[in-house]
């Protein structure tokens, strides 16, 4: 699956970034048995942090793109955890997405679809997962989206 996942990313016009370093006192991932828990990855693109508040100064489409950037970082952390062997992925178990949004914004699921859709596009059925998509009054550094993940690996 390593080549397949990287090929799928390339077909989508995406490149796997380097796994981001932690921004505070935590580790980027923890392996426990056959589960990999990846710390929240914030929306970050080639031009830097993707900031904004959904329902105020960002569209749902912009939010979904921010969520996709989080998914790329999650895959990068997965890749680091399995020493570059993405074929060790059994499945994406769960995503938990936080959306920096106004009190009346209700399209958090549509925003987090940016990450969910990428997981399925890259990993096929193994990318289908359980999920939460919740609103946050603010997120670290003013980012638009933060997503954490649980993966099953072998």
């Amino acid at each position: 699956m390593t080549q397949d996942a990287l090929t799928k990313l390339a077909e989508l016009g995406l490149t796997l970034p380097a796994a981001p370093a932690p921004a505070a006192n935590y580790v980027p991932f923890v392996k426990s048995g056959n589960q990999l828990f990846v710390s929240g990855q914030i929306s970050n693109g080639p031009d830097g942090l993707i900031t904004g508040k959904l329902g105020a100064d960002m569209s749902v489409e912009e939010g979904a793109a921010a969520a996709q950037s989080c998914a790329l970082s999650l895959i990068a952390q997965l890749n680091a955890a399995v020493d570059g062997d993405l074929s060790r992925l059994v499945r994406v178990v769960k995503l938990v997405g936080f959306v920096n949004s106004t009190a009346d914004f209700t399209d958090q699921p549509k925003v987090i679809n940016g990450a969910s859709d990428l997981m399925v596009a890259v990993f096929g059925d193994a990318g289908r997962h359980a999920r939460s998509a919740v609103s946050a009054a603010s997120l670290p550094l003013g980012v638009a989206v933060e997503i954490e993940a649980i993966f099953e690996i072998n």
Side-chain angles (χ1 to χ4, degrees):
M1 181 181 296
T2 301
Q3 203 55 34
D4 290 344
L6 297 176
T7 299
K8 298 262 187 194
L9 284 169
E11 288 171 357
L12 295 168
L14 301 171
T15 303
L16 193 62
N25 187 17
Y26 63 91
V27 295
F29 55 82
V30 171
K31 294 179 193 176
S32 180
N34 66 343
Q35 299 218 321
L36 179 70
F37 297 82
V38 179
S39 296
Q41 302 296 299
I42 59 176
S43 51
N44 196 7
D47 299 324
L49 295 176
I50 302 170
T51 60
K53 186 173 283 287
L54 279 291
D57 58 4
M58 288 189 85
S59 68
V60 170
E61 295 75 21
E62 291 170 319
Q68 183 182 73
S69 78
C70 294
L72 279 171
S73 292
L74 289 167
I75 296 168
Q77 295 292 2
L78 167 65
N79 192 51
V82 298
D83 300 319
D85 184 4
L86 288 173
S87 69
R88 292 184 54 201
L89 176 75
V90 174
R91 77 169 301 127
V92 180
V93 176
K94 184 170 185 179
L95 298 182
V96 180
F98 302 93
V99 180
N100 185 353
S101 56
T102 61
D104 60 346
F105 183 78
T106 59
D107 283 333
Q108 291 83 2
K110 290 180 183 176
V111 171
I112 302 303
N113 278 346
S116 295
D117 292 347
L118 184 64
M119 293 297 180
V120 174
V122 171
F123 299 116
D125 284 340
R128 298 191 183 284
H129 52 273
R131 187 183 88 178
S132 298
V134 298
S135 181
S138 67
L139 289 172
L141 306 173
V143 297
V145 180
E146 180 175 354
I147 304 176
E148 62 184 53
I150 302 170
F151 297 103
E152 182 182 354
I153 56 175
N154 60 27

